[in-house]
Amino acid sequence: MGTHTLEKRVRDKNREALLIVLLSPYNCIPTAMAIQAHQPDRVLIISAHFSHENKDRVLEAQSRLGAWMEGADELVSTFESLLEPFPVPHTKPLGYLGGTESGTEVEWRGCHVDDISDVVSERCSDYEGEVRFDILPGAKDPVLGIILG
């Protein structure tokens, strides 16, 4: 019965799509590529950390991904080195090209890697539309427990 319900939710194209992705602490590009490819109505970006030691890297990746979601000017502004020692000519990237007219609603959640499963379960249980969980972009270490568990 549970499997049938899940299949029905995935096949219903009229419902809004929620994409759940994990932000890699080292490189936000794979996460950005996943968001661009899915073009969801809503996205939950989970910033998972192993300890307090890698939180600074997660914050930098989160800042860049958030700027990319806002557009080209915001993304370029995160690269201060483009102006040192003098302004370097550059072509701005496009930033996120959303698939919906109303834009993509973004929700950020930070958690310890041991809590990823609980965050995903909680969000899936209260969402009525289609839920996609893309585990491929750049953050395989944190999801290893979910895959093997």
Side-chain angles (χ1 to χ4, degrees):
M1 182 86 173
T3 304
H4 176 70
T5 304
L6 178 62
E7 288 175 7
K8 183 177 178 185
R9 288 178 69 184
V10 170
R11 290 183 188 158
D12 190 350
K13 301 294 182 189
N14 295 325
R15 291 186 168 187
E16 288 188 347
L18 166 67
L19 174 65
I20 300 174
V21 293
L22 293 172
L23 177 63
S24 171
Y26 308 108
N27 185 357
C28 65
I29 292 173
T31 307
M33 290 172 61
I35 294 168
Q36 186 65 61
H38 286 279
Q39 295 189 357
D41 301 290
R42 298 172 188 210
V43 61
L44 170 61
I45 303 168
I46 301 173
S47 301
H49 56 273
F50 288 99
S51 65
H52 294 289
E53 297 170 4
N54 71 342
K55 281 189 177 180
D56 289 340
R57 285 189 295 203
V58 169
L59 290 175
E60 181 180 339
Q62 183 174 343
S63 172
R64 286 252 162 86
L65 186 62
W68 173 77
M69 294 287 295
E70 294 297 319
D73 291 331
E74 289 80 3
L75 178 58
V76 170
S77 73
T78 66
F79 293 92
E80 295 173 10
S81 61
L82 290 175
L83 304 175
E84 297 174 7
F86 53 86
V88 175
H90 57 275
T91 302
K92 292 181 182 178
L94 295 175
Y96 177 58
L97 304 173
T100 63
E101 291 179 19
S102 61
T104 300
E105 183 180 314
V106 180
E107 177 184 352
W108 297 86
R109 291 282 299 266
C111 70
H112 190 272
V113 292
D114 295 338
D115 299 326
I116 293 173
S117 177
D118 294 335
V119 169
V120 171
S121 295
E122 173 189 315
R123 192 62 178 98
C124 288
S125 68
D126 67 359
Y127 190 73
E128 293 295 320
E130 176 185 344
V131 177
R132 303 171 187 168
F133 184 42
D134 194 329
I135 60 171
L136 297 178
K140 291 174 189 59
D141 288 344
V143 294
L144 194 57
I146 294 172
I147 295 170
L148 297 177

